[in-house]
Amino acid sequence: MRTANTRTILIWTLVALVGAAGWTVLALSRGEDVSAAWMVAAALGSYAIAYRFYAKFIAYKVLKVDRTRATPAERLNNGIDFHPTDRRVLLGHHFAAIAGAGPLVGPVLAAQMGYLPGTIWIIVGVIFAGAVQDMVVLFFSTRRDGRSLGQMAREEIGPFGGAAALIAAFAIMIILLGVLALVIVNALAQSPWGTFSIAMTIPIALLMGFYLRVLRPGRVSEVSLIGVALLLLALVAGRWVAESSWADTFTLAPSTLVVWLVGYGFIASILPVWMLLAPRDYLSTFMKIGTIVLLALGVVIALPTLKMDPVTDFASRGDGPVFAGSLFPFVFITIACGALSGFHSLISSGTTPKMIQKETQVRMIGYGSMLMESSVAVMALVAASIIDPGLYFAMNAPAGVIGDTVQNASQVVGSWGYQISPEALARAAENVEEASLLSRTGGAPTLAIGVSEIFSQVTGGGLRAFWYHFAIMFEALFILTALDAGTRVGRFMLQDTLGNLYRPFRNVSWKPGLVITSAVVCGLWGYFLWVGVHEPLGGINQLFPIFGISNQLLAAVALAVCTTLLVKSGRLKWAWITGIPLAWDAVVTLTASWQKVFSSDPKVGFLKQRQVFQDAIDRGEVLPPAKSMDDMHTVVTNSTVDGVLTAVLALLIVVVIADAARVCVRHIRRPALSTLSEAPYVESRITAPAGLFPTKDEKEEARAVTSAGTR
């Protein structure tokens, strides 16, 4: 026993030293070359310590997870939404559902401020805010029959603050789903390789679902091997298809993709969760995690240097070409998923609490999945920081700023202090078989360039085009899994909301309600997507500028609900665990909201932007990005809508936080007046490990149950 304890202490000391060494090099390096491997070391060392100690402390000391208590999946099992799911499959589903565009795109865009601010926020933010939010929301939703975030707010905070939370959460969800869908459309349009490979994941997932449910129940290892083999075949076949006569069949226009995405979202929302959603997300996780692990290994093998500055001048000036605004608060808004994301709270109070077998699994699934997503964000930041900064800014600055020729782009980027020749810009595009890389905004192409850079170094300098297009397809798969799970969660939210008006809607198994709410959710985000695809300045493009703020405002709702529940459930002394992240998030997002509405800089403030474009209309002048007077009027409308929506959402969140504070103060003064809507205790009959690998005691418990069942 003493030897085992000594070995454990030595291992965790070594892990801590690796993480500390990474942080030391990143923080103290000034002017010399820094290997990206130090960023990976800082992240992995910090994650390991946080999961082993902080997450365990919260789960067992603060939340007091109970392995003997039956979860909603066991008590309410209906084979559609409530279904006890193997922890490994559920881990894959949950990770795939939360890991959308954010951890891939946000860090790439935030690299304009330098690699150091983003690295600090991604790692520190996830440990003390993002992963804590996901785990605590999952725990409290599991204790409440899988209630949605908005419904928990209504029941625990009160009808006034709860109504504000319901409205804000649902509106933000539609915005998030529309933006995610737009990223998918942009990634897959005219891409037969990506379209074929991603389409094939659907029949593969259906096969896996029936395999586990009907053919070989419980054989997760078998179905995993089959699924991974078929997925790899689909990836390879995608390139064959792209080079064959079938290419035209899978080369889809954006409008066609919109129809397919809406149809897929509707079907995925109403089918039993075991049939498509869970196995598909589990399957995609192999590709997601596999790619990120290979990317991390590639960094360790190739040891690429970080070419971006630790902190750029744009961080203090706030006039960056990628996005306007100073480091505080906009880095913390741009980097959401991977550090702290309100979208995750909807998954943690949506599909996952209806599928989890044991409360003890909330640490692995809630906290662990978020650490996995944070590692994705770190690798995205690495990919953006190892390429030439001149190429980075040429790819991410809009065409209205740098022009549409490599000569103009080279001159403009050089004026910012980042030199790159026209020949280098043209050669970078040729290397990945693209006509041009100029103004490939949105983050995804930049990430793909970074991935191709790392993998090509590992493979001897070749295959850049292959790795670039592989990364583009990988990003589309990453995002699609968040879209289908998010649509299902939107359905749950709408059912909970309408259930307050007409009780049958509250029963998620009620088929008319299931179909109606799924159609409404898909119709809403589908409408914004359709308009956005056909009108470059309309539809979801109109709402894109408030994507980041909306997401972080939603996180404030989740943390306010968590803090209220910690106080009301007798955990007042631990309320700081979510209270401190809530305070930070509220300061950041409300500051950003104020600046986005009232800033005198037209690149930041919506109302100022509206005034500038309206004045230009009065003069008969057309300003970029508008190309006509009709576009000018559209920009004015967009600025007005974005400004009003931002103000309304911020006001709703202030109402939620204020009402939550009122409830907490009332409970502290008169606890007898407080009530909890927690489901009653029912003893569990399921035996399942808490972590990915069963402990010795859990193995013995499983054997005892098996022996008792065979008598």
Side-chain angles (χ1 to χ4, degrees), residues 549-569:
I549 286 179
S550 299
N551 194 23
Q552 297 304 70
L553 287 173
L554 186 56
V557 174
L559 291 168
V561 171
C562 290
T563 305
T564 303
L565 285 170
L566 286 173
V567 173
K568 290 179 66 177
S569 60

Side-chain angles (χ1 to χ4, degrees), residues 467-489:
W467 291 122
Y468 173 84
H469 290 283
F470 169 84
I472 291 291
M473 188 269 301
F474 159 75
E475 293 170 48
L477 176 62
F478 221 106
I479 299 164
L480 185 58
T481 54
L483 180 68
D484 52 22
T487 300
R488 198 179 192 97
V489 171

Side-chain angles (χ1 to χ4, degrees), residues 319-357:
D319 59 350
V322 180
F323 64 91
S326 57
L327 189 152
F328 179 88
F330 289 105
V331 157
F332 308 100
I333 298 297
T334 305
I335 299 178
C337 300
L340 172 64
S341 170
F343 176 75
H344 297 184
S345 67
L346 302 181
I347 304 297
S348 293
S349 61
T351 57
T352 308
K354 298 177 178 66
M355 301 164 67
I356 194 167
Q357 293 174 314

Side-chain angles (χ1 to χ4, degrees), residues 31 50 65 72 84 121 151 245 323 433 484 494 610 684:
V65 293
W121 171 233
Q151 188 63 22
S245 59
F323 64 91
E433 299 178 7
D484 52 22
L494 189 55
R610 180 193 184 283
S684 175

Side-chain angles (χ1 to χ4, degrees), residues 36 40 291-306 378-387 447-462 464 467:
V40 175
T291 301
I292 295 303
V293 169
L294 289 176
L295 198 56
L297 290 175
V299 169
V300 173
I301 294 171
L303 297 176
T305 57
L306 297 169
V378 168
M379 295 314 303
L381 186 58
V382 167
S385 301
I386 64 166
I387 66 175
L447 173 61
I449 286 289
V451 170
S452 68
E453 177 74 20
I454 294 171
F455 283 164
S456 65
Q457 288 184 30
V458 174
T459 55
R464 287 180 183 270
W467 291 122

